[in-house]
Amino acid sequence: MKKRGLSLIMAIMLIAGLILPTTTVKSAPESAQYANWQIDNQLQWFDMGSNDGETYTYEVYNESSKTVIESGTFQGSMSTQKVSADLHLTVQYYLNVDGEKVLVYSRQSPEVHTYEVQYFYKDANGGETFLCTEEDGELNYGDRYIHTPSSYIVVGNREYQPVDGQGSIALVYGQKIYKVYYTDYVPEPTYAIANLRDEYNNILKTLKVTIPYGNGGDGSVTLDIPATVDSRSRHYLYDEDANNELAIGKSAPIPYCDENVVFDIFYKVQEEEVQGVYPVTVNYMAYEGNTFVKQIGASGFTGDTTKEGDVVFTGAPLELRVRNNVTGVDEYYTRVGDGKITHKHGEKQRAYEVRYELADAQAGYDWIVKAYDSENNFLKSYTYRVEVDDTKTHTVEPSIKKDGKTYIVGEGVPMELVHQFGGTRVVNVVYQEVGTTLVPSYTLKVRYLSVSDEKILKEEDIEVKAEEGGVDITTDAEFKFEGNEYVRLGGQLDKIRHNYFSKQRTQVVYFRDINDDANADTIVTVTDVINVDDPESTAAAGGATEGDTVTVLSNETTGETEVLDEQGVPLAESIANKNVPKAKKVEKEAAASAQPNWPVIISLLALALALIIGAAFFVAKKKKKVNDVEGNDQN
């Protein structure tokens, strides 16, 4: 009855409004109420208002959950609470008409809103400068997608790149402005590189200069090409007959954006006026098919200009192991062919190569157990073929007889060795000659060597004791010398293990000057001789012996490779130093000293007697232990 009465009253009021237009009515005009939807930083709200002076009841309704999340009254204007822009909202105004709540106005949040992605320059102090609006558009309710900032932009002839850490951003319904921050463009460095090569394509020296970027990539640099190069104890002249890309002296400007920034310049060795013994290098080169991969080692021999005939080199190892000290993963390479080299005495060619190929890690191989005496003299070897997923066992012989001598296995060596596929391919077992004792200790020299200027930065003598089986050497990552700062080359460890039975007596740690960019990518690897054709005769033929080690310095950026002996001496120079006879001055001194020096002789005899007595006492007091050397490790 009450609802019917209310309807009748409303009808009468409507008729009265039509008949008497000058009569003022209670309800407000249609344009009296408003609600402006606002959104910022993923928050939304309504700015509500009316201009009729009425007091309204309002409700904010969540369309998703079908619930009222805010309600109250207002007169004039006010704002609703800020809530998540993810919500779909409706705001409604009500008037109280004769005790009834009457809906007079309604507004929903839009299904679509606009957005902008703006790029700003951020300076060193954190200040922001607007650069441009990169993107704008509309987002539907519930939409979301990823904007990836441009990696390089130009605004007003100035170049920019995103600041460090500025990644992609998510654009979502509910946020209007998105900011992406940029800084000045700093491109990746580009280098002009000249590889100075000999007739056989070996790199003698590398020139590397950073090309400045300039303005918009218009920077350039020049290279100074020398007329001569000294490398590996030899003198080289610029080869005028070669098709060199750059002439002697200062080159034309090499632009930053030039595609050709690496040049090969060829030199020929200067005819040697000095007659006699000279070094010949044999480079061990890894190939994949007919494609050269890298140099993995080297060896050598000597020729003599005063002799006739040939030198026949047969000392290239059957198998090499390249150790990666950082990853701990070893690579094994096998020789291609017999490795035989015939060199005529006095021949101009002084460098040869023997090819190797990477052994298949998933193919069968030979597991070798080698027996050595305590002075690293080879005694005997045992070879087992190991197929994929195979396991082999070797029973250690308690004693070995050779050349009339008897050797017994060292204390602590297990009598049974077990090898599983993928393990270390060479195991050394050390024997002790009956009636002899181990040297209690010896001195290992640790040398810090700079590849930038060939300076010895530091040398230290470390005692290696037999009873401890070896010594751990801790090396520096950085080192200061004569006011300059040096950093350790890659591929070397903080701690190096040197085994007592190693042949090595010098441990070299390689460094570069911190400003020497040319060697920034130089990596140190170590190559071991694992297997040779005949352990009894290989050394006599001038080749490597099992267990020999060389260090390879390689730089993929410049393509430069250098092989050094255990003391850090370039191999060609090392070969020469080991084989060149003494100079005449030394021979004369030796002849002059041939007369007996009786005071010295008597002193030496007394010292020898004291040593014999001391050694006998030492043997009686303590028996030295002999430890197994695993994996042919030299360190």
Side-chain angles (χ1 to χ4, degrees):
M1 184 65 182
K2 186 174 182 180
K3 289 183 179 180
R4 185 176 299 175
L6 179 60
S7 300
L8 180 59
I9 292 171
M10 294 295 289
I12 293 172
M13 290 176 64
L14 180 59
I15 294 171
L18 292 173
I19 298 174
L20 302 172
T22 60
T23 304
T24 302
V25 295
K26 182 81 171 177
S27 62
E30 185 176 346
S31 62
Q33 305 87 19
Y34 62 89
N36 296 325
W37 179 74
Q38 306 289 349
I39 188 167
D40 182 56
N41 197 27
Q42 292 187 273
L43 294 175
Q44 64 173 326
W45 68 95
F46 291 98
D47 288 336
M48 303 183 298
S50 69
N51 54 18
D52 57 8
E54 292 285 351
T55 298
Y56 290 89
T57 299
Y58 74 93
E59 293 178 345
V60 180
Y61 185 72
N62 183 350
E63 296 288 351
S64 302
S65 63
K66 307 299 182 184
T67 58
V68 175
I69 62 173
E70 182 183 349
S71 62
T73 61
F74 76 93
Q75 184 181 34
S77 63
M78 71 169 288
S79 298
T80 63
Q81 297 177 6
K82 295 180 180 181
V83 296
S84 172
D86 294 336
L87 303 178
H88 190 200
L89 304 178
T90 299
V91 63
Q92 297 175 334
Y93 301 171
Y94 299 92
L95 279 176
N96 190 323
V97 179
D98 295 332
E100 289 291 330
K101 182 179 173 183
V102 178
L103 175 65
V104 294
Y105 181 82
S106 178
R107 171 76 189 274
Q108 284 191 337
S109 57
E111 294 288 342
V112 176
H113 83 89
T114 60
Y115 72 91
E116 292 183 2
V117 178
Q118 298 177 350
Y119 286 179
F120 284 80
Y121 173 75
K122 179 172 283 190
D123 60 31
N125 298 321
E128 300 178 9
T129 304
F130 175 78
L131 296 176
C132 63
T133 297
E134 174 67 12
E135 180 182 341
D136 58 24
E138 295 182 338
L139 281 173
N140 293 320
Y141 176 75
D143 277 356
R144 172 189 177 93
Y145 78 95
I146 302 300
H147 171 82
T148 301
S150 302
S151 60
Y152 167 85
I153 63 172
V154 179
V155 179
N157 295 324
R158 187 171 173 181
E159 299 168 296
Y160 301 92
Q161 66 184 27
V163 299
D164 290 341
Q166 175 69 70
S168 299
I169 56 175
L171 307 183
V172 296
Y173 176 90
Q175 183 167 339
K176 181 174 179 60
I177 302 298
Y178 297 85
K179 290 185 177 183
V180 178
Y181 294 101
Y182 281 76
T183 187
D184 293 305
Y185 178 61
V186 181
E188 291 293 324
T190 294
Y191 304 97
I193 297 173
N195 293 316
L196 312 185
R197 299 178 179 270
D198 65 11
E199 304 102 305
Y200 311 106
N201 212 37
N202 298 307
I203 294 180
L204 306 172
K205 187 177 181 180
T206 296
L207 308 179
K208 181 179 179 182
V209 181
T210 302
I211 306 177
Y213 179 70
N215 184 21
D218 64 357
S220 64
V221 75
T222 59
L223 287 170
D224 289 325
I225 304 303
T228 63
V229 177
D230 291 316
S231 176
R232 300 161 188 164
S233 303
R234 308 190 73 184
H235 189 67
Y236 295 81
L237 302 176
Y238 182 89
D239 191 350
E240 298 286 355
D241 298 326
N243 188 23
N244 285 329
E245 298 174 278
L246 300 176
I248 296 173
K250 193 177 292 295
S251 70
I254 302 168
Y256 178 90
C257 295
D258 198 332
E259 293 183 0
N260 183 27
V261 293
V262 180
F263 307 90
D264 289 321
I265 313 298
F266 288 89
Y267 291 74
K268 56 186 178 182
V269 66
Q270 186 178 26
E271 295 294 339
E272 298 184 18
E273 298 179 0
V274 179
Q275 299 295 307
V277 177
Y278 58 87
V280 181
T281 303
V282 180
N283 296 310
Y284 301 152
M285 303 298 201
Y287 280 79
E288 186 175 338
N290 290 321
T291 303
F292 171 73
V293 178
K294 62 181 178 180
Q295 183 171 359
I296 57 175
S299 184
F301 55 95
T302 58
D304 193 334
T305 59
T306 65
K307 293 183 178 180
E308 299 289 336
D310 298 332
V311 179
V312 179
F313 175 82
T314 58
L318 280 170
E319 187 175 16
L320 295 170
R321 175 179 65 169
V322 177
R323 282 188 275 160
N324 187 319
N325 290 323
V326 177
T327 64
V329 178
D330 295 338
E331 291 180 333
Y332 292 87
Y333 290 84
T334 54
R335 191 182 67 204
V336 178
D338 59 10
K340 182 179 178 180
I341 293 170
T342 301
H343 173 82
K344 185 178 181 62
H345 282 298
E347 187 177 348
K348 291 183 179 180
Q349 183 174 352
R350 304 291 169 85
Y352 299 85
E353 75 171 37
V354 175
R355 291 193 175 194
Y356 286 80
E357 61 183 12
L358 181 65
D360 186 356
Q362 296 302 315
Y365 56 85
D366 288 337
W367 174 49
I368 305 171
V369 180
K370 298 178 181 178
Y372 289 88
D373 68 11
S374 59
E375 296 181 355
N376 278 309
N377 297 312
F378 176 79
L379 300 176
K380 191 175 183 181
S381 67
Y382 314 80
T383 302
Y384 301 87
R385 187 64 184 172
V386 183
E387 301 298 340
V388 177
D389 297 330
D390 201 358
T391 299
K392 294 294 182 181
T393 301
H394 170 75
T395 301
V396 176
E397 293 187 57
S399 64
I400 295 176
K401 290 186 177 181
K402 185 178 181 180
D403 298 334
K405 299 177 182 179
T406 301
Y407 301 85
I408 57 174
V409 69
E411 289 187 17
V413 175
M415 300 307 292
E416 186 176 87
L417 304 176
V418 179
H419 176 86
Q420 294 181 330
F421 179 84
T424 301
R425 298 188 183 187
V426 177
V427 175
N428 293 342
V429 178
V430 180
Y431 285 74
Q432 180 70 40
E433 183 183 351
V434 173
T436 64
T437 59
L438 291 178
V439 176
S441 66
Y442 60 82
T443 299
L444 174 71
K445 186 177 294 296
V446 178
R447 174 179 298 157
Y448 284 10
L449 181 63
S450 167
V451 300
S452 302
D453 46 25
E454 299 182 356
K455 287 183 179 179
I456 295 177
L457 309 178
K458 172 184 173 182
E459 281 191 336
E460 179 183 3
D461 290 337
I462 297 179
E463 186 180 13
V464 184
K465 298 179 180 179
E467 62 182 359
E468 295 176 357
V471 66
D472 290 325
I473 306 165
T474 301
T475 66
D476 298 309
E478 299 177 353
F479 189 77
K480 287 188 176 181
F481 178 74
E482 295 181 346
N484 296 324
E485 187 173 351
Y486 295 83
V487 293
R488 192 175 62 206
L489 292 183
Q492 302 176 104
L493 298 175
D494 294 332
K495 182 177 289 186
I496 302 170
R497 178 65 180 177
H498 176 87
N499 194 285
Y500 174 84
F501 292 106
S502 170
K503 297 180 181 180
Q504 197 168 355
R505 291 298 180 267
T506 303
Q507 176 64 57
V508 181
V509 184
Y510 295 93
F511 288 77
R512 68 173 176 89
D513 189 296
I514 196 170
N515 297 314
D516 177 12
D517 293 334
N519 280 301
D521 299 325
T522 298
I523 300 297
V524 179
T525 55
V526 176
T527 298
D528 301 319
V529 175
I530 296 299
N531 200 1
V532 297
D533 294 89
D534 184 358
E536 298 288 344
S537 62
T538 301
T545 59
E546 294 176 346
D548 281 355
T549 300
V550 295
T551 298
V552 180
L553 306 182
S554 57
N555 190 316
E556 290 187 3
T557 302
T558 64
E560 187 172 4
T561 301
E562 186 170 19
V563 181
L564 311 170
D565 68 7
E566 74 165 41
Q567 298 188 48
V569 177
L571 199 64
E573 183 179 336
S574 176
I575 295 167
N577 290 341
K578 290 179 180 177
N579 292 278
V580 175
K582 298 290 186 181
K584 291 183 178 180
K585 179 180 179 181
V586 177
E587 292 174 356
K588 290 180 179 178
E589 291 175 353
S593 62
Q595 300 298 323
N597 189 333
W598 292 111
V600 173
I601 293 174
I602 294 171
S603 298
L604 289 175
L605 288 173
L607 177 60
L609 180 61
L611 288 173
I612 293 171
I613 297 172
F617 178 78
F618 181 83
V619 171
K621 291 290 290 182
K622 186 173 184 180
K623 181 180 180 181
K624 293 298 181 182
K625 295 184 179 180
V626 181
N627 296 322
D628 175 34
V629 180
E630 184 76 10
N632 203 24
D633 285 321
Q634 300 301 311
N635 297 327

